Amino acid sequence: MRSTQYGPDLTPPWKRQQPATEVPAERDLVVEEAATGFCGAVVRCEKTAEGVTVTLEDRFGKHRVFPLVPRGFLLEGKVVTLVRPSGPAPARGPARTASGSIAVPGARARVARESRIYVEGRHDAELVERVWGDDLRIEGVVVEYLEGIDDLPAIVAGFGPGDGRRLGVLVDHLLPGTKEHRIASAVTGEAVLVVGHPFIDIWQAVKPDSVGIAAWPEVPRGEVWKEGICRRLGWPVDTPAAWKRILASVNSFRDLEPELLGRVEELIDFVTQPGG
């Protein structure tokens, strides 16, 4: 007969595993994942279809995503259970915008400048807005999209760049010898700056780790690139839904490749220079 003196767990008290201390997975908290030894700072903690996960960034900028499981992490050498933060993280110094700039609380958007930044497509514009939107409003810079650059010479002529009207253009896959490079060279001038990134599409400018994939797949020539990406990642061939998923994974400049970051900052500097 089972004694009523004990509960259903007959393990002696001194052998029972004690619950680990629960620690909120606040941004910038440095922990070590117990199973793999991966050490990094918390970048985000979010609810996914597979449960609550935490993304860590190591000192080399590499991201890895781990489930929040009991006793799953080490904090200063002690086993802890990370939990989803219950509210906003406490302020640690000046607030920052998604681009890394110091935020200006309560600042009103500046009246739009005559200068503009053009990007190739809607996805490019949405990504720039997501990361640099706060900075652009304070600077009074409007971003518009072109739907390709074949007509860029006519668009530049219609814009009429000159004193007080600078035009910055961001181009996808801008490589020497390409059609895009020839068009860019033809319109670049004192009041027009065309810069580009090496990626086939702006999707690739988002770090794979941030999207939760190992790498962007290779898609053969002749196949629609975005549809090929969806197929190889096992996603539904629905490019608007795929882009929504990718864009949602971007929370700050840390989620973007340096080749894009530098070019956008260069354009913002160009169109906001004195006289721009």
Side-chain angles (χ1 to χ4, degrees):
M1 295 178 61
R2 177 178 294 177
S3 170
T4 57
Q5 184 178 357
Y6 298 98
D9 184 0
L10 300 181
T11 306
W14 62 87
K15 287 188 177 180
R16 294 175 190 169
Q17 191 177 59
Q18 298 300 312
T21 303
E22 292 189 348
V23 177
E26 304 284 6
R27 188 177 180 88
D28 296 331
L29 177 73
V30 178
V31 295
E32 178 182 340
E33 202 276 328
T36 64
F38 185 89
C39 184
V42 173
V43 174
R44 72 178 68 86
C45 183
E46 58 191 347
K47 187 175 182 180
T48 69
E50 291 75 29
V52 181
T53 64
V54 62
T55 302
L56 303 183
E57 180 182 46
D58 70 8
R59 61 193 182 94
F60 301 108
K62 182 179 180 181
H63 287 199
R64 287 190 63 178
V65 181
F66 299 99
L68 289 190
V69 297
R71 304 177 64 84
F73 298 86
L74 301 177
L75 176 62
E76 297 179 350
K78 296 181 179 179
V79 176
V80 298
T81 296
L82 288 188
V83 296
R84 194 176 184 185
S86 58
R92 299 185 180 185
R96 298 278 176 173
T97 67
S99 71
S101 305
I102 295 177
V104 184
R108 298 179 62 182
R110 176 175 173 169
V111 175
R113 299 171 182 263
E114 290 190 63
S115 298
R116 292 285 187 271
I117 292 176
Y118 285 177
V119 296
E120 279 207 56
R122 182 170 58 85
H123 291 179
D124 306 65
E126 289 174 344
L127 187 60
V128 169
E129 164 61 28
R130 189 169 183 88
V131 176
W132 289 275
D134 290 339
D135 307 69
L136 293 169
R137 278 181 284 281
I138 288 178
E139 294 290 352
V141 177
V142 175
V143 175
E144 302 181 17
Y145 61 91
L146 305 168
E147 291 293 359
I149 69 164
D150 288 349
D151 296 327
L152 185 58
I155 291 171
V156 171
F159 178 80
D163 291 340
R165 285 179 62 83
R166 292 190 174 192
L167 180 60
V169 184
L170 178 68
V171 178
D172 295 343
H173 206 226
L174 187 62
L175 301 174
T178 61
K179 173 190 71 175
E180 290 81 4
H181 192 270
R182 290 191 294 272
I183 293 174
S185 299
V187 301
T188 297
E190 186 176 342
V192 179
L193 175 64
V194 181
V195 300
H197 56 73
F199 308 113
I200 294 173
D201 188 271
I202 198 69
W203 289 18
Q204 283 186 313
V206 181
K207 291 180 177 178
D209 284 346
S210 297
V211 183
I213 60 177
W216 289 106
E218 294 289 334
V219 177
R221 281 179 170 274
E223 184 176 355
V224 177
W225 190 84
K226 290 177 181 176
E227 294 180 1
I229 290 292
C230 292
R231 292 189 189 96
R232 285 160 180 78
L233 291 177
W235 298 352
V237 183
D238 180 344
T239 54
W243 172 242
K244 185 176 180 181
R245 177 175 182 169
I246 295 165
L247 187 62
S249 71
V250 177
N251 294 295
S252 77
F253 72 96
R254 295 183 179 88
D255 297 308
L256 302 182
E257 298 288 0
E259 293 89 339
L260 177 67
L261 294 174
R263 302 295 73 74
V264 175
E265 296 286 352
E266 187 178 354
L267 289 177
I268 294 174
D269 288 346
F270 178 75
V271 299
T272 58
Q273 287 176 9

